[in-house]
mmCIF file with all atom_site columns, all heavy atoms in Angstrom:
data_model
loop_
_atom_site.group_PDB
_atom_site.id
_atom_site.type_symbol
_atom_site.label_atom_id
_atom_site.label_alt_id
_atom_site.label_comp_id
_atom_site.label_asym_id
_atom_site.label_entity_id
_atom_site.label_seq_id
_atom_site.pdbx_PDB_ins_code
_atom_site.Cartn_x
_atom_site.Cartn_y
_atom_site.Cartn_z
_atom_site.occupancy
_atom_site.B_iso_or_equiv
_atom_site.pdbx_formal_charge
_atom_site.auth_seq_id
_atom_site.auth_comp_id
_atom_site.auth_asym_id
_atom_site.auth_atom_id
_atom_site.pdbx_PDB_model_num
ATOM 1  N N   . ALA A 1 56 ? -21.947 -48.460 51.528 1.00 95.00 ? 61 ALA A N   1
ATOM 2  C CA  . ALA A 1 56 ? -22.501 -49.492 50.650 1.00 95.00 ? 61 ALA A CA  1
ATOM 3  C C   . ALA A 1 56 ? -21.815 -50.845 50.816 1.00 95.00 ? 61 ALA A C   1
ATOM 4  O O   . ALA A 1 56 ? -22.426 -51.906 50.574 1.00 95.00 ? 61 ALA A O   1
ATOM 5  C CB  . ALA A 1 56 ? -22.388 -49.082 49.204 1.00 95.00 ? 61 ALA A CB  1
ATOM 6  N N   . TYR A 1 57 ? -20.566 -50.847 51.245 1.00 91.00 ? 62 TYR A N   1
ATOM 7  C CA  . TYR A 1 57 ? -19.821 -52.081 51.396 1.00 91.00 ? 62 TYR A CA  1
ATOM 8  C C   . TYR A 1 57 ? -20.201 -52.799 52.684 1.00 91.00 ? 62 TYR A C   1
ATOM 9  O O   . TYR A 1 57 ? -20.438 -52.156 53.713 1.00 91.00 ? 62 TYR A O   1
ATOM 10 C CB  . TYR A 1 57 ? -18.314 -51.838 51.405 1.00 91.00 ? 62 TYR A CB  1
ATOM 11 C CG  . TYR A 1 57 ? -17.722 -51.640 50.018 1.00 91.00 ? 62 TYR A CG  1
ATOM 12 C CD1 . TYR A 1 57 ? -17.451 -50.370 49.536 1.00 91.00 ? 62 TYR A CD1 1
ATOM 13 C CD2 . TYR A 1 57 ? -17.423 -52.743 49.216 1.00 91.00 ? 62 TYR A CD2 1
ATOM 14 C CE1 . TYR A 1 57 ? -16.905 -50.200 48.276 1.00 91.00 ? 62 TYR A CE1 1
ATOM 15 C CE2 . TYR A 1 57 ? -16.883 -52.578 47.970 1.00 91.00 ? 62 TYR A CE2 1
ATOM 16 C CZ  . TYR A 1 57 ? -16.608 -51.316 47.500 1.00 91.00 ? 62 TYR A CZ  1
ATOM 17 O OH  . TYR A 1 57 ? -16.085 -51.155 46.239 1.00 91.00 ? 62 TYR A OH  1
ATOM 18 N N   . PRO A 1 58 ? -20.224 -54.112 52.666 1.00 90.00 ? 63 PRO A N   1
ATOM 19 C CA  . PRO A 1 58 ? -20.439 -54.872 53.926 1.00 90.00 ? 63 PRO A CA  1
ATOM 20 C C   . PRO A 1 58 ? -19.322 -54.587 54.911 1.00 90.00 ? 63 PRO A C   1
ATOM 21 O O   . PRO A 1 58 ? -18.149 -54.525 54.552 1.00 90.00 ? 63 PRO A O   1
ATOM 22 C CB  . PRO A 1 58 ? -20.389 -56.340 53.462 1.00 90.00 ? 63 PRO A CB  1
ATOM 23 C CG  . PRO A 1 58 ? -20.715 -56.277 51.985 1.00 90.00 ? 63 PRO A CG  1
ATOM 24 C CD  . PRO A 1 58 ? -20.153 -54.990 51.497 1.00 90.00 ? 63 PRO A CD  1
ATOM 25 N N   . GLY A 1 59 ? -19.697 -54.389 56.147 1.00 90.00 ? 64 GLY A N   1
ATOM 26 C CA  . GLY A 1 59 ? -18.718 -54.059 57.189 1.00 90.00 ? 64 GLY A CA  1
ATOM 27 C C   . GLY A 1 59 ? -18.306 -52.613 57.182 1.00 90.00 ? 64 GLY A C   1
ATOM 28 O O   . GLY A 1 59 ? -17.339 -52.251 57.854 1.00 90.00 ? 64 GLY A O   1
ATOM 29 N N   . GLY A 1 60 ? -19.031 -51.784 56.467 1.00 92.00 ? 65 GLY A N   1
ATOM 30 C CA  . GLY A 1 60 ? -18.718 -50.362 56.386 1.00 92.00 ? 65 GLY A CA  1
ATOM 31 C C   . GLY A 1 60 ? -19.454 -49.570 57.463 1.00 92.00 ? 65 GLY A C   1
ATOM 32 O O   . GLY A 1 60 ? -19.223 -49.763 58.659 1.00 92.00 ? 65 GLY A O   1
ATOM 33 N N   . ASN A 1 61 ? -20.340 -48.713 57.039 1.00 94.00 ? 66 ASN A N   1
ATOM 34 C CA  . ASN A 1 61 ? -21.084 -47.850 57.965 1.00 94.00 ? 66 ASN A CA  1
ATOM 35 C C   . ASN A 1 61 ? -21.940 -48.680 58.905 1.00 94.00 ? 66 ASN A C   1
ATOM 36 O O   . ASN A 1 61 ? -22.843 -49.411 58.467 1.00 94.00 ? 66 ASN A O   1
ATOM 37 C CB  . ASN A 1 61 ? -21.964 -46.875 57.169 1.00 94.00 ? 66 ASN A CB  1
ATOM 38 C CG  . ASN A 1 61 ? -22.551 -45.782 58.021 1.00 94.00 ? 66 ASN A CG  1
ATOM 39 O OD1 . ASN A 1 61 ? -22.622 -45.887 59.240 1.00 94.00 ? 66 ASN A OD1 1
ATOM 40 N ND2 . ASN A 1 61 ? -22.968 -44.713 57.375 1.00 94.00 ? 66 ASN A ND2 1
ATOM 41 N N   . PRO A 1 62 ? -21.705 -48.611 60.227 1.00 93.00 ? 67 PRO A N   1
ATOM 42 C CA  . PRO A 1 62 ? -22.491 -49.415 61.169 1.00 93.00 ? 67 PRO A CA  1
ATOM 43 C C   . PRO A 1 62 ? -23.880 -48.845 61.391 1.00 93.00 ? 67 PRO A C   1
ATOM 44 O O   . PRO A 1 62 ? -24.759 -49.553 61.922 1.00 93.00 ? 67 PRO A O   1
ATOM 45 C CB  . PRO A 1 62 ? -21.657 -49.360 62.452 1.00 93.00 ? 67 PRO A CB  1
ATOM 46 C CG  . PRO A 1 62 ? -20.934 -48.064 62.363 1.00 93.00 ? 67 PRO A CG  1
ATOM 47 C CD  . PRO A 1 62 ? -20.641 -47.821 60.903 1.00 93.00 ? 67 PRO A CD  1
ATOM 48 N N   . ALA A 1 63 ? -24.105 -47.602 61.012 1.00 93.00 ? 68 ALA A N   1
ATOM 49 C CA  . ALA A 1 63 ? -25.404 -46.955 61.303 1.00 93.00 ? 68 ALA A CA  1
ATOM 50 C C   . ALA A 1 63 ? -26.451 -47.334 60.266 1.00 93.00 ? 68 ALA A C   1
ATOM 51 O O   . ALA A 1 63 ? -27.606 -47.629 60.614 1.00 93.00 ? 68 ALA A O   1
ATOM 52 C CB  . ALA A 1 63 ? -25.235 -45.445 61.325 1.00 93.00 ? 68 ALA A CB  1
ATOM 53 N N   . PHE A 1 64 ? -26.062 -47.373 58.992 1.00 92.00 ? 69 PHE A N   1
ATOM 54 C CA  . PHE A 1 64 ? -27.022 -47.726 57.952 1.00 92.00 ? 69 PHE A CA  1
ATOM 55 C C   . PHE A 1 64 ? -26.272 -48.204 56.733 1.00 92.00 ? 69 PHE A C   1
ATOM 56 O O   . PHE A 1 64 ? -25.041 -47.955 56.570 1.00 92.00 ? 69 PHE A O   1
ATOM 57 C CB  . PHE A 1 64 ? -27.933 -46.551 57.589 1.00 92.00 ? 69 PHE A CB  1
ATOM 58 C CG  . PHE A 1 64 ? -27.187 -45.321 57.138 1.00 92.00 ? 69 PHE A CG  1
ATOM 59 C CD1 . PHE A 1 64 ? -26.820 -45.158 55.803 1.00 92.00 ? 69 PHE A CD1 1
ATOM 60 C CD2 . PHE A 1 64 ? -26.832 -44.342 58.047 1.00 92.00 ? 69 PHE A CD2 1
ATOM 61 C CE1 . PHE A 1 64 ? -26.127 -44.024 55.390 1.00 92.00 ? 69 PHE A CE1 1
ATOM 62 C CE2 . PHE A 1 64 ? -26.133 -43.203 57.643 1.00 92.00 ? 69 PHE A CE2 1
ATOM 63 C CZ  . PHE A 1 64 ? -25.798 -43.059 56.284 1.00 92.00 ? 69 PHE A CZ  1
ATOM 64 N N   . THR A 1 65 ? -26.975 -48.862 55.830 1.00 94.00 ? 70 THR A N   1
ATOM 65 C CA  . THR A 1 65 ? -26.387 -49.418 54.603 1.00 94.00 ? 70 THR A CA  1
ATOM 66 C C   . THR A 1 65 ? -27.116 -48.854 53.401 1.00 94.00 ? 70 THR A C   1
ATOM 67 O O   . THR A 1 65 ? -28.353 -48.726 53.395 1.00 94.00 ? 70 THR A O   1
ATOM 68 C CB  . THR A 1 65 ? -26.453 -50.937 54.571 1.00 94.00 ? 70 THR A CB  1
ATOM 69 O OG1 . THR A 1 65 ? -25.770 -51.450 55.700 1.00 94.00 ? 70 THR A OG1 1
ATOM 70 C CG2 . THR A 1 65 ? -25.815 -51.490 53.317 1.00 94.00 ? 70 THR A CG2 1
ATOM 71 N N   . ILE A 1 66 ? -26.330 -48.503 52.360 1.00 94.00 ? 71 ILE A N   1
ATOM 72 C CA  . ILE A 1 66 ? -26.901 -47.986 51.099 1.00 94.00 ? 71 ILE A CA  1
ATOM 73 C C   . ILE A 1 66 ? -26.617 -49.030 50.011 1.00 94.00 ? 71 ILE A C   1
ATOM 74 O O   . ILE A 1 66 ? -25.481 -49.537 49.946 1.00 94.00 ? 71 ILE A O   1
ATOM 75 C CB  . ILE A 1 66 ? -26.256 -46.654 50.709 1.00 94.00 ? 71 ILE A CB  1
ATOM 76 C CG1 . ILE A 1 66 ? -26.571 -45.602 51.783 1.00 94.00 ? 71 ILE A CG1 1
ATOM 77 C CG2 . ILE A 1 66 ? -26.756 -46.182 49.351 1.00 94.00 ? 71 ILE A CG2 1
ATOM 78 C CD1 . ILE A 1 66 ? -25.907 -44.273 51.525 1.00 94.00 ? 71 ILE A CD1 1
ATOM 79 N N   . PRO A 1 67 ? -27.571 -49.371 49.209 1.00 95.00 ? 72 PRO A N   1
ATOM 80 C CA  . PRO A 1 67 ? -27.309 -50.329 48.113 1.00 95.00 ? 72 PRO A CA  1
ATOM 81 C C   . PRO A 1 67 ? -26.189 -49.841 47.202 1.00 95.00 ? 72 PRO A C   1
ATOM 82 O O   . PRO A 1 67 ? -26.149 -48.660 46.852 1.00 95.00 ? 72 PRO A O   1
ATOM 83 C CB  . PRO A 1 67 ? -28.653 -50.402 47.379 1.00 95.00 ? 72 PRO A CB  1
ATOM 84 C CG  . PRO A 1 67 ? -29.664 -49.961 48.368 1.00 95.00 ? 72 PRO A CG  1
ATOM 85 C CD  . PRO A 1 67 ? -28.977 -48.946 49.226 1.00 95.00 ? 72 PRO A CD  1
ATOM 86 N N   . MET A 1 68 ? -25.287 -50.749 46.822 1.00 92.00 ? 73 MET A N   1
ATOM 87 C CA  . MET A 1 68 ? -24.199 -50.381 45.935 1.00 92.00 ? 73 MET A CA  1
ATOM 88 C C   . MET A 1 68 ? -24.718 -49.878 44.591 1.00 92.00 ? 73 MET A C   1
ATOM 89 O O   . MET A 1 68 ? -24.096 -49.027 43.972 1.00 92.00 ? 73 MET A O   1
ATOM 90 C CB  . MET A 1 68 ? -23.279 -51.576 45.725 1.00 92.00 ? 73 MET A CB  1
ATOM 91 C CG  . MET A 1 68 ? -22.077 -51.294 44.845 1.00 92.00 ? 73 MET A CG  1
ATOM 92 S SD  . MET A 1 68 ? -20.990 -49.981 45.541 1.00 92.00 ? 73 MET A SD  1
ATOM 93 C CE  . MET A 1 68 ? -20.262 -50.890 46.892 1.00 92.00 ? 73 MET A CE  1
ATOM 94 N N   . ALA A 1 69 ? -25.871 -50.405 44.179 1.00 94.00 ? 74 ALA A N   1
ATOM 95 C CA  . ALA A 1 69 ? -26.468 -49.960 42.932 1.00 94.00 ? 74 ALA A CA  1
ATOM 96 C C   . ALA A 1 69 ? -26.844 -48.487 42.954 1.00 94.00 ? 74 ALA A C   1
ATOM 97 O O   . ALA A 1 69 ? -27.022 -47.867 41.910 1.00 94.00 ? 74 ALA A O   1
ATOM 98 C CB  . ALA A 1 69 ? -27.696 -50.831 42.591 1.00 94.00 ? 74 ALA A CB  1
#
Side-chain angles (χ1 to χ4, degrees):
Y62 279 101
N66 192 340
F69 57 87
T70 301
I71 298 176
M73 182 60 72

